[in-house]
Amino acid sequence: MDFLPLFTDLRNKPCLLIGGGQVALRKSRLLCKAGAQVRLVSHEILPELSSLVLNAGGECIRGDYGDHLLDNVFLVIAATDDQALNSRVSAACHQRHIPVNVVDDPALCSVILPAIIDRSPLIIAISSGGKSPVLARMMRSRLEASIPAAYGRLGNLASQFRDAVKERFEDIEDRRHFWEKALQGPVAEMVFAGNDKAAATMLGDAIKNGSIDNGGEVYLIGAGPGDPDLMTFKALRLLQRADVVLYDRLVAPAIVDMCRKDAERVYVGKARSDHAVPQQDINSLLVKYAREGKKVARLKGGDPFIFGRGGEEIEELAQHKIPFQVVPGITAAAGCASYAGIPLTHRDYAQSVRFVTGHLKDNSINLPWQELAKPAQTVVFYMGLIGLPSICEKLIEFGRPADTPIALVQQGTTSDQKVVVATLATMVEKLKHETVRAPTLIIVGEVVKLREKLAWYEKYDLAKADI
C-alpha cells in the first residue's frame, strides 16, 4: 500500500493553494467545500477562482510564491505548470513536514487527493496513488451509480440515534445487528423515498421495542420500454433486494436478469386475448408473498401508472395494509419516440401530447375522437396494433387530414426496434407488406415528419466513420 487513506478535518484550517488557472479552480472548490481558509497565490487568477476564494473568506495574493507563505499552513497544494516551482514548493513542504500535493506529479507529493463520492456525512475516496487518476475517476463513476444520494440523509439520521442505540443495546454485537437491519430495511427505504420524518419515528419505535420489523414489502417497478440502460438507479436497487420477482411479457429478458440470482422469478404475462395470470390473481400473489415476509418486485413494462394497471395493484395492497413503493419508469411513449427520432412536442407542429389506450377493458375502442382529431397535438396510442384500422378511420372521420403522418414503433428502444411511417390514409395498406408484431406504439401527428431529419443515427455507418 503506497498511501494510507486518511480523512482530514480542514474546517477553519489555513491552506495554501499555488496557481490561478482551471486546475487551481477545481482544487479550490474542494478546499472551500471542506471549510478550509484558502490562501491563493498566483500572478494571474481566473475571475471565477478569485470570487470563489474571497466569498469563502479566503485571500488572493497576486505575485510570486515565497517560502514565508508556508508559515502556519496546514496543507499545501501546488497547481501550476512550472516544474521548477512545483519542485521548490514540494522540497520546502517536506522539510517542514507540511502535507503537500503537487497536481499530476505523485513523486513530489506527500498526500494524494482522491476521487470523491460525497454523500456527506458518508464520504468515499478512491485513489490510484497518483498512478492512474482517470482509472480512479472511472471507478468513482461506477460506484456513484449504485449509491443513492439519500445515503447522506440516512447517515445524518443514524447519527441522531447513536446514543439512544448505545443505551438500549449494551452488547456491541447487538448494536451492530440492529444497525445492519435499520440501514438496509424499512427505515432506510423511508429515507430513500424522501420521508425522513416517518423514518425517524420508525427508528425511534424500533429502539424502544428492541428490534426492527423487516417484514414483507412490494415494489411496483417501472422497467421502462425495453432498453435496460433506461432503468432508474432506484429501480435497480430495489430489484436487487427482492426475494420474488413478478414480471410480464413487456419486460425485456435483460432486465429480468438484473434481479438477484437466488430470487424466485414468476412470469405473469398477459397478451391481448391470452392472460397467463389474470389480474386479480396477480394482485393476490403480491399479497401472498408479502405476507410471507418477502420483498416482492412487481416489474412492469414502461411506467406502472400509465396503462400498467399499477393503480389496481396498489389498491389491493393498501386494502391488506401491505407496505409498498412505486418506482416510476420511462413510459413507452417517451422512450419509443426518442429512439425513433420523433419529438412528441415541437413549437412548429404540436403544443400538446395525449396518451390513450388502443383498446379498453371490454376490447372496444370508444374514445373521444373529436378531441383526438384536433390539430397541433400529438396522439400516442398504446396497444393499438389490432385496432389500427379503426384508429385511422375514426381520426379521418372526425377531421384529421388523411395525409397526417403516422408512425408505428415495434419493440421500441430494443435491438429489434422497427419503425413504419405512413399517413392515416396509407398506413393500413402499408402494413399488409410489413411484418409487425407486438408490442407496438402508434404516434400520430405532424411531429412524425421530423423523423427523417432527427433519426440520422439509423443510417450512420460506424465502419466508415472517422473515429
Coordinates of all heavy atoms in Angstrom, one line a residue, residues 113-194:
L113 N -4.8 13.7 -3.4 CA -6.3 14.0 -3.4 C -7.0 12.9 -4.2 O -6.8 12.8 -5.4 CB -6.5 15.4 -3.9 CG -5.9 16.5 -3.2 CD1 -6.4 17.9 -3.7 CD2 -6.2 16.5 -1.7
P114 N -7.9 12.2 -3.6 CA -8.5 11.1 -4.3 C -9.8 11.5 -5.1 O -10.2 12.7 -5.0 CB -9.0 10.2 -3.1 CG -9.3 11.1 -2.0 CD -8.3 12.2 -2.1
A115 N -10.3 10.6 -5.9 CA -11.6 10.9 -6.5 C -12.6 10.6 -5.4 O -12.5 9.7 -4.6 CB -11.9 9.9 -7.6
I116 N -13.6 11.5 -5.3 CA -14.5 11.5 -4.1 C -16.0 11.3 -4.5 O -16.4 11.9 -5.5 CB -14.4 12.9 -3.4 CG1 -13.0 13.1 -2.8 CG2 -15.4 13.0 -2.2 CD1 -12.7 14.4 -2.3
I117 N -16.6 10.5 -3.7 CA -18.1 10.4 -3.8 C -18.6 11.0 -2.5 O -18.4 10.5 -1.4 CB -18.5 8.9 -3.9 CG1 -18.0 8.2 -5.1 CG2 -20.0 8.8 -3.9 CD1 -18.2 6.8 -5.2
D118 N -19.3 12.1 -2.7 CA -19.8 12.9 -1.5 C -21.2 12.6 -1.2 O -22.1 13.0 -1.9 CB -19.6 14.4 -1.8 CG -19.9 15.2 -0.5 OD1 -20.2 14.6 0.5 OD2 -19.7 16.5 -0.6
R119 N -21.4 11.8 -0.2 CA -22.8 11.6 0.4 C -22.7 12.0 1.9 O -23.1 11.2 2.7 CB -23.2 10.1 0.2 CG -23.2 9.6 -1.2 CD -24.3 10.1 -2.0 NE -24.4 9.5 -3.3 CZ -23.9 9.9 -4.4 NH1 -23.1 11.0 -4.4 NH2 -24.0 9.3 -5.6
S120 N -22.2 13.2 2.1 CA -22.0 13.6 3.5 C -23.2 13.3 4.4 O -24.3 13.6 4.0 CB -21.7 15.1 3.5 OG -20.5 15.4 2.8
P121 N -22.9 12.7 5.6 CA -21.6 12.5 6.2 C -20.8 11.3 5.7 O -19.7 11.1 6.1 CB -21.9 12.3 7.7 CG -23.2 11.7 7.6 CD -24.0 12.3 6.5
L122 N -21.4 10.6 4.7 CA -20.7 9.4 4.2 C -19.8 9.9 3.0 O -20.3 10.5 2.0 CB -21.7 8.4 3.6 CG -21.1 7.1 3.0 CD1 -20.3 6.3 4.0 CD2 -22.2 6.3 2.3
I123 N -18.5 9.7 3.1 CA -17.6 10.1 2.1 C -16.8 8.9 1.7 O -16.2 8.2 2.5 CB -16.6 11.2 2.6 CG1 -17.3 12.4 3.2 CG2 -15.6 11.6 1.5 CD1 -18.0 13.2 2.2
I124 N -16.7 8.7 0.4 CA -16.0 7.6 -0.2 C -14.9 8.1 -1.1 O -15.1 8.9 -2.0 CB -16.9 6.7 -1.0 CG1 -18.1 6.1 -0.2 CG2 -16.1 5.5 -1.6 CD1 -19.1 5.4 -0.9
A125 N -13.6 7.7 -0.8 CA -12.5 8.2 -1.5 C -11.8 7.1 -2.3 O -11.7 6.0 -1.7 CB -11.5 8.9 -0.6
I126 N -11.4 7.3 -3.5 CA -10.8 6.3 -4.4 C -9.5 6.9 -4.9 O -9.5 8.0 -5.5 CB -11.7 5.9 -5.5 CG1 -13.1 5.4 -5.0 CG2 -11.1 4.8 -6.4 CD1 -14.2 5.4 -6.0
S127 N -8.4 6.2 -4.8 CA -7.2 6.7 -5.3 C -6.3 5.6 -5.9 O -6.4 4.4 -5.5 CB -6.4 7.3 -4.1 OG -5.1 7.7 -4.6
S128 N -5.6 5.9 -6.9 CA -4.6 5.0 -7.5 C -3.2 5.4 -7.1 O -2.2 4.9 -7.7 CB -4.7 5.1 -9.1 OG -4.4 6.4 -9.5
G129 N -3.1 6.2 -6.1 CA -1.8 6.7 -5.6 C -1.1 7.6 -6.7 O 0.1 7.7 -6.7
G130 N -1.9 8.2 -7.5 CA -1.4 9.1 -8.5 C -0.9 8.4 -9.8 O -0.5 9.1 -10.7
K131 N -1.0 7.1 -9.8 CA -0.5 6.3 -11.0 C -1.5 6.4 -12.1 O -1.1 6.3 -13.3 CB -0.2 4.9 -10.6 CG 0.9 4.7 -9.6 CD 1.2 3.3 -9.3 CE 2.5 3.1 -8.5 NZ 2.4 3.8 -7.2
S132 N -2.8 6.4 -11.8 CA -3.8 6.4 -12.9 C -5.1 7.2 -12.4 O -6.1 6.5 -12.1 CB -4.2 5.0 -13.4 OG -5.1 5.1 -14.4
P133 N -5.1 8.5 -12.4 CA -6.2 9.3 -11.9 C -7.5 9.0 -12.7 O -8.6 9.0 -12.2 CB -5.7 10.7 -12.1 CG -4.3 10.7 -12.1 CD -3.9 9.4 -12.7
V134 N -7.3 8.8 -14.0 CA -8.5 8.5 -14.9 C -9.2 7.2 -14.4 O -10.4 7.1 -14.3 CB -8.1 8.4 -16.3 CG1 -9.3 8.0 -17.2 CG2 -7.6 9.8 -16.8
L135 N -8.4 6.2 -14.1 CA -9.0 4.9 -13.6 C -9.7 5.1 -12.3 O -10.8 4.6 -12.1 CB -7.9 3.9 -13.4 CG -8.3 2.5 -12.9 CD1 -9.3 1.9 -13.9 CD2 -7.1 1.6 -12.7
A136 N -9.2 5.9 -11.4 CA -9.8 6.2 -10.1 C -11.2 6.9 -10.4 O -12.2 6.6 -9.7 CB -8.9 7.1 -9.3
R137 N -11.2 7.9 -11.3 CA -12.4 8.6 -11.6 C -13.4 7.6 -12.3 O -14.6 7.8 -12.0 CB -12.1 9.8 -12.6 CG -11.4 10.9 -11.9 CD -11.5 12.2 -12.7 NE -10.8 12.1 -13.9 CZ -9.5 12.4 -14.1 NH1 -8.8 12.9 -13.1 NH2 -8.9 12.4 -15.3
M138 N -13.0 6.7 -13.1 CA -13.9 5.7 -13.7 C -14.5 4.9 -12.6 O -15.7 4.6 -12.6 CB -13.1 4.8 -14.7 CG -12.8 5.5 -16.0 SD -11.7 4.6 -17.0 CE -12.6 3.0 -17.2
M139 N -13.7 4.4 -11.6 CA -14.3 3.6 -10.5 C -15.3 4.5 -9.7 O -16.3 3.9 -9.2 CB -13.1 3.1 -9.6 CG -12.2 2.1 -10.3 SD -13.1 0.7 -10.9 CE -13.9 0.1 -9.4
R140 N -15.0 5.7 -9.5 CA -15.9 6.6 -8.8 C -17.2 6.6 -9.5 O -18.3 6.5 -8.9 CB -15.3 8.0 -8.7 CG -16.3 9.0 -8.0 CD -15.8 10.4 -8.1 NE -15.7 10.9 -9.5 CZ -15.2 12.0 -9.9 NH1 -14.6 12.8 -9.0 NH2 -15.2 12.3 -11.1
S141 N -17.2 6.8 -10.8 CA -18.5 6.9 -11.6 C -19.3 5.6 -11.5 O -20.5 5.6 -11.3 CB -18.1 7.1 -13.1 OG -17.5 8.3 -13.3
R142 N -18.6 4.5 -11.5 CA -19.3 3.2 -11.3 C -20.0 3.1 -9.9 O -21.1 2.6 -9.8 CB -18.4 2.0 -11.5 CG -17.9 1.9 -13.0 CD -17.1 0.6 -13.2 NE -16.7 0.4 -14.5 CZ -16.1 -0.6 -15.0 NH1 -15.8 -1.6 -14.2 NH2 -15.7 -0.7 -16.3
L143 N -19.2 3.5 -8.9 CA -19.8 3.4 -7.6 C -20.9 4.4 -7.4 O -21.9 4.1 -6.7 CB -18.7 3.7 -6.5 CG -17.7 2.6 -6.3 CD1 -16.5 3.0 -5.4 CD2 -18.4 1.3 -5.7
E144 N -20.8 5.6 -7.9 CA -21.8 6.6 -7.8 C -23.1 6.2 -8.3 O -24.2 6.5 -7.7 CB -21.4 7.9 -8.5 CG -20.5 8.8 -7.7 CD -20.3 10.2 -8.3 OE1 -20.1 10.3 -9.5 OE2 -20.4 11.2 -7.5
A145 N -23.1 5.4 -9.4 CA -24.3 4.9 -9.9 C -25.1 3.9 -9.0 O -26.3 3.7 -9.2 CB -24.0 4.1 -11.3
S146 N -24.4 3.3 -8.0 CA -25.0 2.3 -7.2 C -25.2 2.9 -5.7 O -25.7 2.1 -4.9 CB -24.2 1.1 -7.1 OG -22.9 1.3 -6.6
I147 N -24.9 4.1 -5.5 CA -25.0 4.7 -4.1 C -25.9 5.9 -4.2 O -25.6 6.9 -4.6 CB -23.6 5.1 -3.6 CG1 -22.7 3.9 -3.6 CG2 -23.8 5.7 -2.2 CD1 -21.3 4.2 -3.2
P148 N -27.2 5.7 -3.8 CA -28.2 6.8 -3.9 C -27.7 8.0 -3.1 O -27.0 7.9 -2.1 CB -29.4 6.2 -3.2 CG -29.3 4.7 -3.3 CD -27.8 4.5 -3.2
A149 N -28.1 9.2 -3.6 CA -27.7 10.4 -2.9 C -28.3 10.5 -1.5 O -27.7 11.2 -0.6 CB -28.2 11.6 -3.7
A150 N -29.4 9.8 -1.3 CA -30.1 9.8 0.0 C -29.3 9.2 1.1 O -29.6 9.2 2.3 CB -31.5 9.2 -0.1
Y151 N -28.2 8.5 0.8 CA -27.4 7.9 1.8 C -26.8 8.9 2.8 O -26.6 8.6 4.0 CB -26.2 7.1 1.2 CG -26.5 5.6 1.0 CD1 -26.8 5.1 -0.2 CD2 -26.6 4.8 2.1 CE1 -27.1 3.7 -0.4 CE2 -26.9 3.4 2.0 CZ -27.2 2.9 0.7 OH -27.5 1.6 0.5
G152 N -26.6 10.1 2.3 CA -26.2 11.2 3.2 C -27.2 11.5 4.3 O -26.9 11.6 5.5
R153 N -28.5 11.6 3.9 CA -29.6 11.8 4.8 C -29.7 10.6 5.8 O -30.0 10.8 7.0 CB -30.9 12.1 4.1 CG -30.8 13.3 3.2 CD -32.2 13.9 2.9 NE -33.2 12.9 2.8 CZ -33.6 12.3 1.7 NH1 -32.9 12.5 0.6 NH2 -34.6 11.4 1.7
L154 N -29.5 9.4 5.3 CA -29.6 8.2 6.1 C -28.5 8.3 7.2 O -28.7 7.9 8.3 CB -29.4 7.0 5.3 CG -29.5 5.6 6.0 CD1 -30.9 5.5 6.7 CD2 -29.3 4.5 5.0
G155 N -27.3 8.7 6.8 CA -26.2 8.8 7.7 C -26.5 9.9 8.8 O -26.2 9.6 10.0
N156 N -27.1 11.0 8.4 CA -27.4 12.0 9.4 C -28.5 11.5 10.4 O -28.4 11.8 11.6 CB -27.9 13.3 8.7 CG -26.8 14.1 8.1 OD1 -25.7 14.2 8.7 ND2 -27.0 14.7 6.9
L157 N -29.4 10.7 9.8 CA -30.5 10.2 10.7 C -29.9 9.2 11.7 O -30.2 9.3 12.9 CB -31.5 9.5 9.9 CG -32.6 8.7 10.6 CD1 -33.5 9.7 11.4 CD2 -33.5 7.9 9.7
A158 N -29.0 8.4 11.2 CA -28.3 7.4 12.2 C -27.5 8.1 13.3 O -27.5 7.7 14.4 CB -27.4 6.5 11.4
S159 N -26.9 9.2 12.9 CA -26.1 9.9 13.9 C -27.0 10.5 15.1 O -26.5 10.6 16.2 CB -25.3 11.1 13.3 OG -26.2 12.1 12.8
Q160 N -28.2 10.8 14.7 CA -29.1 11.4 15.8 C -29.5 10.3 16.8 O -29.9 10.7 17.9 CB -30.4 11.9 15.1 CG -30.1 13.1 14.1 CD -31.4 13.4 13.3 OE1 -32.5 13.2 13.8 NE2 -31.2 14.0 12.1
F161 N -29.4 9.0 16.4 CA -29.9 8.0 17.3 C -28.8 7.1 17.9 O -29.0 6.1 18.5 CB -30.9 7.1 16.6 CG -32.2 7.8 16.3 CD1 -32.4 8.5 15.2 CD2 -33.3 7.6 17.2 CE1 -33.7 9.1 15.0 CE2 -34.5 8.2 17.0 CZ -34.7 9.0 15.9
R162 N -27.5 7.5 17.6 CA -26.4 6.6 18.0 C -26.4 6.5 19.6 O -26.2 5.4 20.1 CB -25.1 7.2 17.6 CG -24.7 7.0 16.1 CD -23.3 7.3 15.8 NE -22.4 6.3 16.5 CZ -21.1 6.5 16.6 NH1 -20.5 7.5 16.1 NH2 -20.3 5.6 17.2
D163 N -26.5 7.5 20.3 CA -26.5 7.5 21.7 C -27.7 6.6 22.3 O -27.5 5.8 23.2 CB -26.5 8.8 22.4 CG -25.3 9.6 22.1 OD1 -24.2 9.0 21.8 OD2 -25.3 10.9 22.2
A164 N -28.8 6.8 21.7 CA -30.0 6.0 22.1 C -29.8 4.5 21.9 O -30.2 3.7 22.7 CB -31.3 6.5 21.4
V165 N -29.2 4.2 20.7 CA -28.9 2.8 20.4 C -27.9 2.2 21.4 O -28.0 1.1 21.9 CB -28.5 2.6 19.0 CG1 -28.0 1.2 18.7 CG2 -29.6 3.0 18.0
K166 N -26.9 3.0 21.7 CA -25.9 2.6 22.7 C -26.5 2.3 24.0 O -26.1 1.3 24.7 CB -24.8 3.6 22.8 CG -23.6 3.5 21.8 CD -22.5 4.5 22.2 CE -21.4 4.4 21.2 NZ -20.3 5.4 21.6
E167 N -27.4 3.1 24.4 CA -28.0 3.0 25.7 C -29.0 1.8 25.7 O -29.1 1.1 26.7 CB -28.8 4.3 26.1 CG -29.4 4.3 27.5 CD -30.1 5.6 27.8 OE1 -29.8 6.6 27.1 OE2 -31.0 5.6 28.7
R168 N -29.6 1.5 24.6 CA -30.6 0.4 24.5 C -29.9 -0.9 24.4 O -30.4 -1.9 25.0 CB -31.5 0.6 23.3 CG -32.6 -0.4 23.1 CD -33.6 -0.4 24.3 NE -34.7 -1.3 24.1 CZ -34.6 -2.6 24.4 NH1 -33.5 -3.1 24.9 NH2 -35.6 -3.4 24.2
F169 N -28.8 -1.0 23.7 CA -28.1 -2.3 23.5 C -26.7 -2.2 24.1 O -25.8 -1.5 23.5 CB -28.0 -2.6 22.0 CG -29.3 -2.7 21.3 CD1 -29.8 -1.6 20.6 CD2 -30.1 -3.8 21.4 CE1 -31.0 -1.7 19.9 CE2 -31.3 -3.9 20.7 CZ -31.8 -2.8 20.0
E170 N -26.5 -2.8 25.2 CA -25.1 -2.7 25.8 C -24.1 -3.5 25.1 O -22.9 -3.1 25.0 CB -25.2 -3.2 27.3 CG -26.1 -2.4 28.2 CD -26.1 -2.9 29.6 OE1 -25.4 -3.9 29.9 OE2 -26.8 -2.3 30.4
D171 N -24.5 -4.7 24.5 CA -23.6 -5.5 23.8 C -23.3 -4.9 22.4 O -24.2 -4.6 21.7 CB -24.1 -6.9 23.7 CG -23.1 -7.9 23.0 OD1 -22.2 -8.3 23.7 OD2 -23.3 -8.1 21.8
I172 N -22.0 -4.8 22.0 CA -21.6 -4.2 20.8 C -22.2 -5.0 19.6 O -22.5 -4.5 18.5 CB -20.1 -4.0 20.7 CG1 -19.8 -3.2 19.5 CG2 -19.4 -5.4 20.6 CD1 -18.3 -2.8 19.4
E173 N -22.3 -6.3 19.7 CA -22.8 -7.2 18.6 C -24.3 -6.9 18.4 O -24.7 -6.9 17.3 CB -22.5 -8.6 18.9 CG -21.0 -9.1 18.6 CD -20.6 -8.8 17.2 OE1 -21.3 -9.3 16.3 OE2 -19.6 -8.1 17.0
D174 N -25.0 -6.8 19.5 CA -26.4 -6.4 19.4 C -26.6 -5.1 18.7 O -27.5 -5.0 17.9 CB -27.1 -6.4 20.8 CG -27.1 -7.8 21.4 OD1 -27.0 -8.8 20.7 OD2 -27.3 -7.8 22.7
R175 N -25.8 -4.2 19.0 CA -25.9 -2.8 18.3 C -25.6 -3.0 16.8 O -26.3 -2.4 16.0 CB -24.9 -1.8 19.0 CG -25.3 -1.4 20.3 CD -24.6 -0.1 20.7 NE -23.1 -0.1 20.7 CZ -22.4 -0.4 21.8 NH1 -23.1 -0.7 23.0 NH2 -21.1 -0.4 21.8
R176 N -24.6 -3.8 16.5 CA -24.2 -3.9 15.1 C -25.4 -4.6 14.3 O -25.7 -4.1 13.2 CB -23.0 -4.8 15.0 CG -22.5 -5.0 13.5 CD -21.2 -5.7 13.5 NE -21.3 -7.1 13.9 CZ -21.8 -8.1 13.2 NH1 -22.2 -7.9 11.9 NH2 -21.9 -9.3 13.7
H177 N -26.0 -5.6 14.9 CA -27.1 -6.3 14.2 C -28.3 -5.4 14.0 O -28.9 -5.4 13.0 CB -27.5 -7.6 15.0 CG -26.5 -8.7 14.9 ND1 -26.0 -9.1 13.7 CD2 -25.9 -9.5 15.9 CE1 -25.2 -10.1 13.9 NE2 -25.1 -10.3 15.2
F178 N -28.5 -4.5 15.1 CA -29.6 -3.6 15.0 C -29.4 -2.6 13.8 O -30.3 -2.3 13.0 CB -29.8 -2.8 16.3 CG -30.9 -1.8 16.3 CD1 -32.2 -2.1 16.5 CD2 -30.6 -0.5 16.0 CE1 -33.2 -1.2 16.5 CE2 -31.6 0.5 15.9 CZ -32.9 0.1 16.2
W179 N -28.2 -2.0 13.8 CA -27.9 -1.0 12.7 C -27.9 -1.7 11.3 O -28.3 -1.0 10.4 CB -26.6 -0.4 13.0 CG -26.6 0.7 14.0 CD1 -25.9 0.8 15.2 CD2 -27.4 1.9 14.0 NE1 -26.2 2.0 15.9 CE2 -27.1 2.7 15.1 CE3 -28.3 2.4 13.0 CZ2 -27.8 3.9 15.4 CZ3 -29.0 3.6 13.3 CH2 -28.7 4.3 14.5
E180 N -27.5 -2.9 11.2 CA -27.5 -3.6 9.9 C -28.9 -3.7 9.4 O -29.2 -3.4 8.2 CB -26.8 -4.9 10.0 CG -25.3 -4.9 10.1 CD -24.7 -6.3 10.2 OE1 -25.5 -7.2 10.5 OE2 -23.5 -6.4 10.1
K181 N -29.8 -4.0 10.3 CA -31.2 -4.1 9.9 C -31.8 -2.7 9.6 O -32.6 -2.6 8.6 CB -32.1 -4.8 11.0 CG -31.8 -6.3 11.1 CD -32.8 -6.9 12.1 CE -32.6 -8.4 12.1 NZ -33.6 -9.1 13.1
A182 N -31.4 -1.8 10.4 CA -32.0 -0.4 10.2 C -31.5 0.2 8.9 O -32.3 0.9 8.2 CB -31.6 0.5 11.4
L183 N -30.3 0.0 8.6 CA -29.7 0.7 7.5 C -29.9 0.0 6.1 O -29.5 0.6 5.1 CB -28.2 0.9 7.7 CG -27.8 1.8 8.9 CD1 -26.3 1.9 9.1 CD2 -28.4 3.2 8.8
Q184 N -30.6 -1.1 6.1 CA -30.9 -1.8 4.9 C -32.4 -2.3 4.9 O -32.7 -3.1 4.1 CB -29.9 -2.9 4.5 CG -29.8 -4.0 5.6 CD -28.8 -5.0 5.2 OE1 -28.3 -5.0 4.1 NE2 -28.5 -5.9 6.1
G185 N -33.1 -1.8 5.8 CA -34.5 -2.2 5.9 C -35.5 -1.1 5.7 O -35.2 -0.1 4.9
P186 N -36.7 -1.1 6.3 CA -37.7 -0.2 6.0 C -37.4 1.3 6.5 O -37.9 2.2 5.9 CB -38.9 -0.7 6.9 CG -38.3 -1.6 7.9 CD -37.1 -2.2 7.2
V187 N -36.5 1.4 7.5 CA -36.1 2.8 7.9 C -35.3 3.4 6.7 O -35.6 4.6 6.3 CB -35.2 2.7 9.1 CG1 -34.6 4.1 9.4 CG2 -36.0 2.2 10.3
A188 N -34.4 2.7 6.1 CA -33.6 3.2 5.0 C -34.6 3.5 3.8 O -34.4 4.5 3.2 CB -32.6 2.2 4.6
E189 N -35.5 2.6 3.6 CA -36.4 2.8 2.4 C -37.2 4.1 2.6 O -37.5 4.8 1.6 CB -37.3 1.6 2.2 CG -36.5 0.4 1.7 CD -35.8 0.6 0.4 OE1 -36.2 1.4 -0.4 OE2 -34.7 0.0 0.2
M190 N -37.6 4.4 3.8 CA -38.4 5.6 4.1 C -37.5 6.8 3.8 O -38.0 7.8 3.2 CB -38.8 5.7 5.6 CG -40.0 4.8 5.9 SD -41.5 5.6 5.2 CE -42.7 4.4 5.9
V191 N -36.3 6.8 4.1 CA -35.4 7.9 3.8 C -35.2 8.0 2.3 O -35.3 9.1 1.7 CB -34.0 7.7 4.4 CG1 -33.0 8.8 4.0 CG2 -34.1 7.8 6.0
F192 N -35.0 6.9 1.6 CA -34.8 6.9 0.1 C -36.1 7.4 -0.6 O -36.0 8.0 -1.6 CB -34.5 5.5 -0.4 CG -33.2 5.0 0.1 CD1 -33.0 3.6 0.3 CD2 -32.2 5.8 0.5 CE1 -31.8 3.1 0.7 CE2 -30.9 5.3 0.9 CZ -30.7 4.0 1.1
A193 N -37.2 7.2 0.1 CA -38.5 7.7 -0.5 C -38.8 9.1 -0.2 O -39.8 9.7 -0.6 CB -39.7 6.8 0.0
G194 N -37.8 9.8 0.6 CA -38.0 11.2 0.9 C -38.8 11.5 2.2 O -39.1 12.6 2.4

